[in-house]
Amino acid sequence: VTHPLQRHGDRPEISVVVPLYNEADTLPELYRRLATVLARENCAHELVFVDDGSRDATPRLLHVLHGQDRQVTTVTLSRNFGHQAALSAGLDHARGRAVVLMDGDLQDPPEMLAPLLAGWRDGFEVVYTVRTRRQEGLLKRTCYAAFYRVLRAVSDLDIPLDSGDFCLLDRKVVLALRRMPERQRFLRGLRAFAGFRQQAVPYERAARQAGRSKYTLRALVRLALDGLLGFSAWPLRLATYVGLVFAVLAVFLAACVAGSVLGDSARPASGTIVLLAVLVIGAGQMLGLGILGEYMHRVYVEVTGRPSYIVSQVRRGKGNSARKRRRNRSSVA
Ligand code: UDP
Ligand code: MG
């Protein structure tokens, strides 16, 4: 459904999209800091808060914020769909000429908005942040570092190292992302896939302000797999490569056997024959698996359809309603 404003191109300059899952402890502080920064920027903006099925006071706080602040839009999902899905929901409801994606636990400092906007005004369509330092446990840091390096090594795309979801996207990029219907979303990858002029801004990632990380180990592993499998056919090709190695070994062994039969020596040991058979069969099976994998990959790329999230309610910021804006305009005229 196109909003009346969309047709008039009368949209806020920036939308700030924040997914929230049980973030009642940080939300007031986040809102305060965002409001300060946005007031300093002095441009038309909207805040899009996505409630990803929170079970704490987050929905209540959002209701209050929506009542108080005309720029606050809330999107309530029907249940908890996960961080990436919540970000996508926010992207789909953001109307700004530029959209900033950030976490709701203050690990992404709202004060970074200024450099992000500066990059955008310099003509970059994607301004993403790169974490120079993380204030997290050694194990988690090591895993993150390893993940990004493996992803980079095997992925078909140039996904920047240590870049997170915290970024600014021009509306052109947002429209491009909206047209990517896949369900297992890995936004950093999709963002790299989208292309456009991209700029990196380094920042030091703060520690979580309050509460605990909403990512369980399982959710993190799933995200890592979405990144690896979604942007690389390499794991599927592994079987093909192993099959090829087996095949080369088999040819080599066959040559040896043939050599010894034709040469002066006696019949080759039966163990050698068995090994040769194992190699030939193994190579055949592995290659077969590899081919299956290639088809699987293509099916994976093609199969889409189920939505990645379901919205139960949208409350638009009152400051962004069409009627209000027109009244403003006529009062200026
Ligand atoms: N989040 C969400 N849905 C989820 C998990 C997380 O909307 O199922 C939000 C969360 O409220 C936060 C952001 O996504 O604003 C990042 O989550 P978190 O801080 O737990 O991730 P981490 O920083 O540990 O990677
Ligand atoms: Mg966090």
Side-chain angles (χ1 to χ4, degrees):
V1 188
T2 53
H3 195 274
L5 284 186
Q6 279 173 351
R7 268 183 278 122
H8 294 289
D10 187 9
R11 52 183 69 257
E13 183 100 334
I14 21 178
S15 302
V16 179
V17 168
V18 189
L20 299 166
Y21 179 50
N22 298 340
E23 300 289 3
D25 293 342
T26 51
L27 185 52
E29 163 89 353
L30 171 77
Y31 173 75
R32 202 181 50 71
R33 278 169 63 180
L34 266 177
T36 311
V37 172
L38 285 165
R40 216 180 295 145
E41 288 296 326
N42 191 29
C43 57
H45 66 267
E46 66 172 357
L47 293 170
V48 181
F49 289 114
V50 182
D51 174 16
D52 186 17
S54 297
R55 268 162 301 190
D56 66 349
T58 305
R60 204 151 25 85
L61 290 175
L62 285 182
H63 189 77
V64 172
L65 282 181
H66 175 259
Q68 282 174 355
D69 186 336
R70 320 186 62 81
Q71 325 306 335
V72 170
T73 288
T74 65
V75 178
T76 310
L77 302 189
S78 60
R79 63 169 170 86
N80 178 248
F81 279 92
H83 182 208
Q84 301 288 308
L87 279 173
S88 298
L91 268 182
D92 292 348
H93 287 85
R95 297 170 39 256
R97 284 183 233 281
V99 178
V100 174
L101 301 178
M102 64 186 293
D103 284 356
D105 58 357
L106 290 171
Q107 281 196 289
D108 302 334
E111 291 71 28
M112 284 291 292
L113 230 65
L116 290 179
L117 282 167
W120 180 54
R121 293 191 176 122
D122 284 346
F124 290 96
E125 284 135 339
V126 176
V127 191
Y128 60 89
T129 60
V130 176
R131 304 138 176 173
T132 53
R133 188 125 57 87
R134 274 176 179 275
Q135 294 177 1
E136 256 140 350
L138 183 67
L139 182 67
K140 207 170 175 182
R141 278 204 325 256
T142 316
C143 288
Y144 274 115
F147 166 70
Y148 280 106
R149 274 137 196 94
V150 170
L151 179 63
R152 192 183 173 82
V154 303
S155 144
D156 315 328
L157 275 175
D158 188 12
I159 299 176
L161 287 174
D162 301 316
S163 65
D165 291 318
F166 184 23
C167 67
L168 176 146
L169 305 169
D170 185 87
R171 187 164 172 76
K172 275 190 269 183
V173 186
V174 174
L175 292 180
L177 288 177
R178 283 188 196 161
R179 286 184 32 221
M180 301 180 193
E182 61 203 87
R183 187 177 140 73
Q184 299 128 353
R185 296 180 85 81
F186 181 66
L187 276 171
R188 280 153 251 187
L190 297 178
R191 189 176 70 205
F193 177 88
F196 294 98
R197 269 164 298 166
Q198 307 214 355
Q199 186 189 39
V201 177
Y203 83 116
E204 209 169 291
R205 187 153 166 92
R208 194 172 231 290
Q209 197 82 359
R212 297 182 43 206
S213 170
K214 278 26 176 221
Y215 267 101
T216 56
L217 182 65
R218 235 180 81 202
L220 269 182
V221 169
R222 200 179 314 137
L223 181 69
L225 283 181
D226 279 348
L228 283 175
L229 303 185
F231 290 93
S232 165
W234 190 83
L236 282 176
R237 299 218 162 104
L238 208 57
T240 313
Y241 296 141
V242 173
L244 282 176
V245 170
F246 279 11
V248 168
L249 281 177
V251 168
F252 177 71
L253 199 61
C256 291
V257 169
S260 69
V261 167
L262 295 179
D264 50 349
S265 62
R267 290 173 47 203
S270 59
T272 317
I273 305 284
V274 171
L275 188 59
L276 181 59
V278 166
L279 275 177
V280 170
I281 294 168
Q285 282 178 338
M286 280 307 209
L287 284 171
L289 267 182
I291 292 166
L292 269 183
E294 290 295 320
Y295 278 108
M296 285 274 295
H297 178 62
R298 278 155 184 76
V299 170
Y300 166 81
V301 170
E302 291 302 326
V303 171
T304 52
R306 232 187 294 164
S308 50
Y309 65 86
I310 297 167
V311 172
S312 78
Q313 188 188 23
V314 178
R315 282 176 300 209
R316 282 279 170 207
K318 298 186 190 80
N320 292 313
S321 88
R323 211 187 310 136
K324 185 71 206 161
R325 280 292 176 88
R326 287 209 198 98
R327 211 182 297 149
N328 280 350
R329 218 186 285 145
S330 54
S331 70
V332 170

